[in-house]
């Protein structure tokens, strides 16, 4: 009787290891990548997945060379197993939180340069002051890389702007910013309270690189009004763009998240033509939220509690985060 009970405990311990290996393989789409994540050999992970397949009497993955894809049965097991595995992995931190302690652990956040520079400083300062024992890691990445990190569980959450939301991602905006025309102080348009697109067309624009959503948005709006425009310079990053506008090398269309009021610029709202840009919390759908993540989200909500979040029209076909991350 004692031997049987011991065998059952050992079996359940093995099941957790098998489910962990299975979940990492499902997230990464690769047995070798899963093995690296959990510090096991590739044959060990393969054997753990095969043991699950024997136990449930089904095939969990379609195998296509080095890549694997969940079968419908595998997807069902993944949806059931993932919160269990993540809950066990985060058990110590969750217990500490329930006891009123969130004084340790690591929090990984993906964000772009503009988000890190203009949106996160105050909430990050508040969070660090309140939870000094938590190691906070800010990953300055592009939108595409940020989504990949979320899907691979390399970060706990991301903060940025999204124009379209993939099915496996959730997005909750918490602040909205206005589209703005910036000009040199001595520019003919600088003293105007409002401008038309016709008034902008004679002047060269400084825009982020062509593949990013700002350029696509500008192009779309001018085409909708049957107007031409001229780009005199491509520059990455709002700080760079502001600097070259100040130097008189062109004008630009930015989101006012990047404007501090200390710039030597003419600033004119152009929300009648261009959509507002929201910034929010981006997560993988169904992801288990660590106590550290929940505390940071609460910190963000408190920091922007007085800001109005307005609906954001989805007008650019395949835009991701790139402007928020690189802009």
């Amino acid at each position: 009787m004692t031997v049987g009970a011991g065998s059952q405990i050992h079996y359940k311990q093995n099941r957790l290891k098998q489910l962990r290996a299975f979940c990492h393989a499902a997230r990464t789409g690769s047995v070798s990548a899963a093995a690296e994540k959990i510090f096991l050999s590739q044959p060990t992970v393969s054997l753990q997945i095969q043991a699950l397949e024997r136990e449930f009497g089904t095939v969990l993955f379609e195998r296509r060379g080095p890549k694997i894809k969940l079968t419908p049965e595998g997807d069902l097991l993944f949806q059931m197993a993932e919160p269990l595995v993540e809950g066990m992995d985060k058990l110590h931190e969750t217990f500490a939180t329930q006891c009123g302690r969130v004084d340790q652990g690591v929090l990984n956040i993906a964000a772009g340069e503009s988000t890190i520079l203009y949106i996160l400083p105050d909430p990050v300062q508040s969070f660090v002051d309140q939870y000094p024992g938590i190691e906070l890691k800010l990953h300055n990445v592009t939108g595409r890389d940020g989504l990949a990190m979320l899907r691979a569980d390399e970060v706990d959450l991301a903060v940025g702007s999204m124009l379209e939301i993939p099915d496996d991602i959730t997005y909750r905006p918490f602040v909205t910013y206005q589209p703005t025309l910036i000009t040199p102080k001595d520019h003919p348009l600088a003293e105007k309270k409002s401008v038309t697109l016709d008034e902008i067309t004679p002047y060269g624009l400084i825009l982020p690189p062509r593949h990013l959503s700002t350029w696509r948005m500008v192009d779309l709006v001018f085409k909708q009004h049957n107007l031409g425009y001229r780009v005199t310079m491509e520059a990455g990053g709002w700080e760079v763009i502001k600097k070259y506008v100040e130097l008189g090398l062109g004008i630009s269309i930015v989101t006012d998240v990047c404007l501090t009021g200390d710039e030597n610029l003419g600033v004119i709202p152009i929300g009648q033509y261009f959509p507002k840009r929201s910034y929010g919390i981006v997560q993988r759908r169904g992801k288990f939220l660590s106590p550290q993540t929940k505390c940071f989200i609460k910190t963000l909500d408190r920091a922007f509690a007085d800001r109005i979040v307005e609906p954001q029209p989805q007008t650019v076909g395949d835009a991701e985060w790139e402007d928020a991350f690189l802009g």
Side-chain angles (χ1 to χ4, degrees):
M1 187 71 175
T2 304
V3 174
S7 299
Q8 188 176 30
I9 292 172
H10 179 70
Y11 171 76
K12 289 183 177 180
Q13 289 173 338
N14 282 341
R15 177 183 285 178
L16 177 59
K17 293 177 182 177
Q18 292 163 0
L19 289 174
R20 184 179 288 112
F22 164 72
C23 287
H24 279 281
R27 292 180 196 133
T28 60
S30 166
V31 172
S32 59
E36 290 181 14
K37 287 279 186 185
I38 55 180
F39 305 104
L40 295 175
S41 67
Q42 183 173 336
T44 299
V45 172
S46 295
L47 288 172
Q48 289 175 337
I49 294 172
Q50 290 169 15
L52 279 177
E53 290 180 324
R54 287 195 301 272
E55 178 184 351
F56 289 101
T58 189
V59 176
L60 300 174
F61 290 104
E62 297 177 12
R63 290 156 176 89
R64 300 175 181 175
K67 287 293 182 181
I68 56 176
K69 181 182 178 182
L70 286 169
T71 63
E73 293 80 5
D75 186 59
L76 176 60
L77 180 61
F78 180 58
Q79 293 178 37
M80 297 172 63
E82 186 181 33
L84 299 175
V85 172
E86 291 202 30
M88 288 299 296
D89 288 344
K90 301 287 186 180
L91 181 61
H92 184 274
E93 296 169 358
T94 304
F95 178 76
T97 302
Q98 295 300 320
C99 293
R101 305 192 314 268
V102 185
D103 52 8
Q104 60 183 353
V106 179
L107 178 62
N108 285 276
I109 300 172
E113 184 174 289
S114 63
T115 304
I116 292 172
L117 284 175
Y118 310 120
I119 293 177
L120 290 182
D122 287 344
V124 163
Q125 182 67 63
S126 298
F127 184 81
V128 170
D129 289 345
Q130 188 171 358
Y131 306 105
I134 296 175
E135 181 182 358
L136 185 61
K137 296 183 179 181
L138 294 179
H139 302 264
N140 185 355
V141 294
T142 66
R144 197 166 283 112
D145 288 344
L147 286 174
M149 294 179 78
L150 277 175
R151 288 167 173 147
D153 279 337
E154 294 173 351
V155 294
D156 297 288
L157 76 159
V159 181
S161 179
M162 298 194 76
L163 296 179
E164 287 194 346
I165 306 166
D167 291 339
D168 62 334
I169 297 295
T170 65
Y171 175 63
R172 180 170 67 80
F174 56 76
V175 65
T176 302
Y177 292 95
Q178 307 291 327
T180 304
L181 180 74
I182 58 174
T183 73
K185 271 290 189 181
D186 58 354
H187 194 274
L189 299 179
E191 298 304 319
K192 288 181 171 289
K193 293 184 177 180
S194 64
V195 295
T196 65
L197 289 180
D198 282 307
E199 291 175 301
I200 295 173
T201 55
Y203 304 104
L205 293 171
I206 301 175
L207 294 180
R210 186 182 295 267
H211 66 280
L212 301 185
S213 61
T214 289
W215 188 307
R216 295 197 297 270
M217 184 69 72
V218 169
D219 182 71
L220 176 63
V221 170
F222 275 90
K223 284 181 177 176
Q224 286 176 338
H225 290 81
N226 297 313
L227 293 171
Y229 64 96
R230 181 167 52 92
V231 176
T232 56
M233 182 182 296
E234 290 184 35
W238 294 134
E239 287 301 316
V240 176
I241 289 174
K242 289 192 299 182
K243 180 64 177 178
Y244 283 96
V245 171
E246 284 180 336
L247 292 174
L249 299 179
I251 63 177
S252 188
I253 297 165
V254 303
T255 304
D256 69 355
V257 62
C258 70
L259 300 176
T260 64
D262 297 326
E263 298 89 357
N264 188 31
L265 294 169
V267 176
I268 309 160
I270 49 174
Q272 70 272 34
Y273 297 113
F274 295 90
K276 298 176 177 64
R277 175 63 61 90
S278 70
Y279 286 75
I281 298 161
V282 188
Q283 294 173 294
R284 177 175 58 77
R285 188 177 297 279
K287 178 174 175 59
F288 177 87
L289 298 185
S290 70
Q292 292 83 359
T293 304
K294 291 178 181 178
C295 290
F296 188 78
I297 290 173
K298 289 179 181 178
T299 301
L300 280 174
D301 287 338
R302 285 196 299 269
F304 295 96
D306 60 340
R307 298 295 297 263
I308 298 174
V309 180
E310 301 181 23
Q312 183 176 358
Q314 300 182 9
T315 54
V316 177
D318 59 352
E320 293 178 354
W321 275 327
E322 289 123 331
D323 258 354
F325 277 53
L326 291 179

